[in-house]
Amino acid sequence: MALASFTARFKQFVTPDALRSYLAEFISTFFYVFVVVGSAMASRKLMSDLATDPSSLVLVAIANTFALSSSVYIASNVSGGHVNPAVTFGLAVGGHISVSTALFYWVSQMLASVMACLLLKVATVSQDVPIYTIASEMTGFGASMVEGVLTFGLVYAVYAGGDPRSGPLRSIGPLVIGLMAGSMVLAAGPFSGGSMNPALAFGPAVVAGRFKNQAVYWVGPLIGAAVAGLLYDNVVFPGHVSGRVNSDGTTGV
């Protein structure tokens, strides 16, 4: 009886619509990570001293803005365009997607990040894939707080961008999300890296084989995402469900 129940529940998450949503998350996350990490590698190749050249930070911030806006847009009608385990977590905490769907999304996002970084590593041959690190004067706790605040802003923008009450302005939701991410990178890039995305930090760490301070990019963003979702739904707009509900139960902008 228990096996039959498990099988029935599992089949709900391997329907054609569900599989398409997982694939959409994989594709959008892959290209997002490819562009962001690739831009960091490009700036390192073109600029001899990244520590004293602020143009490298601007380059990565612009790439983050364009890549996230585009990635959210191309996946929004299929999977909701999360592109980020923290966004998925925030929506799951808010009850917009099921925990099981969130786990499948996480697998797609993490695998996509690793594959994107592997491709960059193989294609560039001589370059190392850069990993996210915290500034030497910061503690892990401080960096987690920074990443949490950044992710709070990003996930709040996701909720607001997907709010049906925005009317025609809702169509620019992906752009608003991208602009928020880019501005956060400009604000915190030199301190914590401005990841706001556990998958974005995880892929480079796996390929480079270095996991120092990796918890910073999980604990802070997941807490910030959960607080943003709960605050938006229960305090700012109580009783209001933001975003469009897809056929597989996901919510998108």
Side-chain angles (χ1 to χ4, degrees), residues 62-132:
I62 292 175
N64 209 305
T65 299
F66 289 162
L68 186 56
S69 297
S70 302
S71 297
V72 170
Y73 178 81
I74 64 176
S76 61
N77 287 331
V78 182
S79 66
H82 297 189
V83 201
N84 185 337
V87 171
T88 300
F89 184 74
L91 290 170
V93 170
H96 296 277
I97 62 172
S98 68
V99 173
S100 299
T101 298
L103 291 175
F104 279 106
Y105 271 32
W106 274 23
V107 172
S108 298
Q109 293 157 350
M110 306 302 284
L111 182 60
S113 179
V114 173
M115 294 300 293
C117 293
L118 277 174
L119 178 58
L120 285 168
K121 176 70 174 178
V122 172
T124 57
V125 183
S126 60
Q127 287 207 60
D128 293 327
V129 175
I131 64 171
Y132 278 85

Side-chain angles (χ1 to χ4, degrees), residues 1-14:
M1 188 67 179
L3 180 59
S5 177
F6 173 79
T7 303
R9 289 180 60 85
F10 180 77
K11 286 181 179 180
Q12 296 177 5
F13 301 104
V14 292

Side-chain angles (χ1 to χ4, degrees), residues 90-98 159 229 232-233 240-243 245 249-251:
L91 290 170
V93 170
H96 296 277
I97 62 172
S98 68
Y159 268 80
Y232 191 94
D233 273 348
H240 172 68
V241 179
S242 64
V245 178
T250 60
T251 304

Side-chain angles (χ1 to χ4, degrees), residues 21-36:
S21 69
Y22 308 150
L23 179 60
E25 279 299 306
F26 178 91
I27 293 172
S28 59
T29 306
F30 177 92
F31 283 108
Y32 171 65
V33 174
F34 186 88
V35 171
V36 173

